[in-house]
Amino acid sequence: MFLLCFSLAMRMRCLATMVRPPAGPGRRRSAPSASRAARCQRQHRAAPPAGNTRAGAGPPLAANPRAWRRHFQVSGRKRRLALRAGARPRPARRGRLWGGRAAAPPEAEAGRGPSPGPAEPKMVPPAPLLAVRGSEGLYMVNGPPSFTESTSFQRDSGKNCKAVAFSKDGSLFAWCNGEKVNIVDVTNAALLRSFDLPKAVCLEFSPKNNVLATWQAYTTAKDGTAGLPNLQLYDVKTGKCLKSFIQKKLQNWCPCWADDESICARNVNNEVHFFENNNFNTIANKLHLQKVNDFVLSPGAQPTKVAVYVPGSKGAPSFVRLYQYPNFGGPQSALANKSFFKADKVTMLWNKKATAVLVIASTEVDKTGASYYGEQTLHYIATNGESAVVQLPKNGPIYDVVWNPNSVEFCAVYGFMPAKATVFNLKCDPVFDFGTGPRNAAYYSPHGHILVLAGFGNLRGQMEVWDVKNYKLISKPVASDSTYFAWCPDGEHIVTATCAPRLRVSNGYKIWHYTGSLLHSYEVPSKEEMWQVSWQPFLDGVFPAKAVKYQAVPSELPSAEPKPAQAYRPPALRDKPVTSSKLHEDEPPQNMKPQLGSGDKPLSKTALKNQRKHEAKKAAKQEAKADANQECTQSSASQNAPRSAVPAVTSGDPEVDKKIKNLKKKLKAIEQLKEQAAAGKQLEKNQLEKIQKETALLQELEDLELGL
């Protein structure tokens, strides 16, 4: 029995030697070690299992102890010789035998382990395409750095191209040329599907490219009978029409999908109908609220959340509620609820992580008459039930609100011109104030590290490019007469365009680097129009985020800054020096983060407000006390003055003496304000204006004293 166990042990040792993997790239196998597996195989053949005999092999080892000892001694001697020759003993590793030798481990086969071959080159992200639609036809332009027309996509020269759409990942492209709706693969421009829909004016892909939604204007028959369904949903793979609906209004025409296409929703007669897994023949769920006006599905992964807006009526307030699909059991099942008055329409904006919604509530008419644009308010609603009204320091309309892709802050552009722009955190506290300027829009880069504040439309097209992390100004390019702005998916380039019908002259587009360099410019020929430009989208992670640059990148095109227009001056003032005068004083940028010391905690809104009031009262008391001390000092000095001293010189006119006294009092207050500013105290706007009047006051005082 002992010899049988010993034989099995040695046999297992030989097998472990044979299945040992090959040496790595940094270890060479010596000659004795390389032939060890073959020797063990020969020894294994020379030692058959116990109880079996082989022709010409003699008695089995188990029955011949002397033969077994001799076999063991020979094997040990060979192993010692191999070690002396330089082979390193390695632990046995599992593997599989193939053709009499040990196979490579799974890690090496999958390419995860080290390989002696050269390293694979890094994948270079593709250059995004720019689709251009206009009276010249439909074509695509290669993105930076070439800016040439793409040869893979054949230009559609028809002048009736009404709609274009990229898929979410940018792999598919669809357009309607007035005859058919075509779908092509962007990589090779191969035609995938073609639908006979000459009147389609809106196209949209589902998030996973499974469905194409098309919409055309709803029409009724001459006899007043109902028209045909005008909203079609097509299966992109098979070309089959999955479902047709009647959608009379262009507003919110397209169904809303979750990012994984597990849910699709439509607003139908004060109800939100939900379909699952693109099965449009069965309504899987319904959300019924009285007079549902609008809804928005949350982005991201499951579970999907729904934000629903119901306008107020008969004195009842409007409200927005957040639900988690499919829990629509009533108000108690809502994740959050926010009610408000003064809302004719709302805009709901989910952040990327689906944790909060910003609601811009607006009215068509401002009953106070303060604004031509109506009245707007900004509300914050979180899925954990928290809600708040975002306090905007400046009165006026809200032009734009946009979430940072990191979902932890948002930027609002608001107030009468010159408008303010402020970044808020999730507590609705201001983080950074960009001051005032001619702006009405804000755009975060795809990576969220750069923010562009711009003034388009009826403004001159001035842009401010900011580094969000350090809140440092990068560049200030000017894109005059621009009606469109979009970030390139690479996060480094932007496109501005002048499109018809907003403007029918000087149509064209420009591609910039965010450092302010104009890299490419194209203007359509005269009597031609450009209607739309659109970047090819890409999924997150295709383009890695890069460090922010402050030095302008080189460009072959000259700077596009226009010459400043000179203000009109009447003939009587043209020979006189120019005096600078502004209707509004621009407010500088300001960091609103609380400056924390050692162990200090940030103050709440109420505490900050009380602190400011206290400081203002304290400053007023100090100013009044200083004035009283000054009067007492003057009176005591006049009483204690010796009779031999020269009496104070007066003009003899009480009015002039009173003016001199008041001027000295104002100059004294200005000196105190200067001392406070030198000590690091932040002065108010009216206090800064007092300091600016010091020169005029000194001149006036000098004139009065010289007239004595």
Side-chain angles (χ1 to χ4, degrees), residues 256-570:
C256 296
W257 277 275
D259 285 352
D260 58 358
E261 293 191 17
S262 60
I263 301 171
C264 181
R266 288 186 68 235
N267 188 1
V268 182
N269 298 330
N270 299 330
E271 289 183 343
V272 182
H273 293 180
F274 292 89
F275 308 91
E276 294 182 352
N277 301 320
N278 290 328
N279 180 13
F280 299 99
N281 296 319
T282 304
I283 300 176
N285 219 317
K286 290 184 180 181
L287 173 58
H288 178 72
L289 291 173
Q290 187 177 4
K291 296 182 180 180
V292 173
N293 185 272
D294 195 8
F295 75 97
V296 182
L297 295 183
S298 64
Q302 296 290 339
T304 301
K305 306 174 185 66
V306 189
V308 184
Y309 163 64
V310 176
S313 61
K314 298 181 181 180
S318 306
F319 62 86
V320 172
R321 286 179 184 167
L322 306 185
Y323 292 93
Q324 179 172 310
Y325 183 85
N327 302 325
F328 304 139
Q332 302 299 328
S333 62
L335 299 176
N337 182 43
K338 178 65 177 178
S339 59
F340 42 83
F341 292 93
K342 297 182 180 181
D344 295 332
K345 62 179 181 179
V346 301
T347 302
M348 295 177 286
L349 305 172
W350 281 98
N351 62 0
K352 199 171 183 178
K353 295 181 179 179
T355 58
V357 179
L358 289 174
V359 180
I360 307 172
S362 58
T363 58
E364 298 293 341
V365 179
D366 187 358
K367 295 181 179 180
T368 62
S371 174
Y372 171 79
Y373 300 97
E375 189 176 0
Q376 292 87 19
T377 54
L378 181 60
H379 304 269
Y380 169 85
I381 310 174
T383 54
N384 59 4
E386 297 179 356
S387 63
V389 178
V390 182
Q391 300 293 336
L392 303 177
K394 189 173 184 178
N395 295 328
I398 299 175
Y399 304 103
D400 196 11
V401 178
V402 59
W403 278 102
N404 189 320
N406 61 15
S407 300
V408 298
E409 61 186 17
F410 58 92
C411 179
V413 183
Y414 58 93
F416 296 110
M417 288 293 169
K420 289 178 70 70
T422 308
V423 174
F424 297 88
N425 58 17
L426 294 182
K427 295 182 179 179
C428 299
D429 295 328
V431 176
F432 189 86
D433 188 352
F434 295 97
T436 58
R439 54 175 80 106
N440 56 11
Y443 307 92
Y444 276 103
S445 65
H447 303 99
H449 63 316
I450 299 174
L451 174 66
V452 175
L453 303 175
F456 296 134
N458 57 348
L459 299 178
R460 294 178 55 192
Q462 298 177 351
M463 296 183 287
E464 301 174 21
V465 184
W466 289 83
D467 178 2
V468 174
K469 184 177 180 180
N470 301 315
Y471 289 111
K472 184 177 179 181
L473 185 64
I474 301 174
S475 62
K476 296 184 68 175
V478 178
S480 301
D481 302 328
S482 295
T483 61
Y484 178 78
F485 176 101
W487 274 98
C488 181
D490 63 4
E492 293 192 55
H493 301 87
I494 56 180
V495 62
T496 59
T498 305
C499 300
R502 183 67 173 85
L503 285 177
R504 297 189 182 274
V505 295
S506 302
N507 285 181
Y509 65 88
K510 297 177 182 179
I511 298 179
W512 309 72
H513 193 268
Y514 68 81
T515 54
S517 301
L518 179 61
L519 303 179
H520 178 67
S521 178
Y522 173 75
E523 186 172 346
V524 300
S526 58
K527 299 182 181 180
E528 299 288 349
E529 294 180 350
M530 189 178 70
W531 304 323
Q532 183 183 1
V533 294
S534 178
W535 284 112
Q536 176 191 6
F538 284 86
L539 297 177
D540 295 340
V542 175
F543 295 93
K546 298 181 180 179
V548 177
K549 301 178 182 177
Y550 295 92
Q551 185 68 28
V553 299
S555 174
E556 298 179 357
L557 298 181
S559 176
E561 295 183 3
K563 295 181 180 179
Q566 295 182 357
Y568 171 78
R569 302 194 68 200

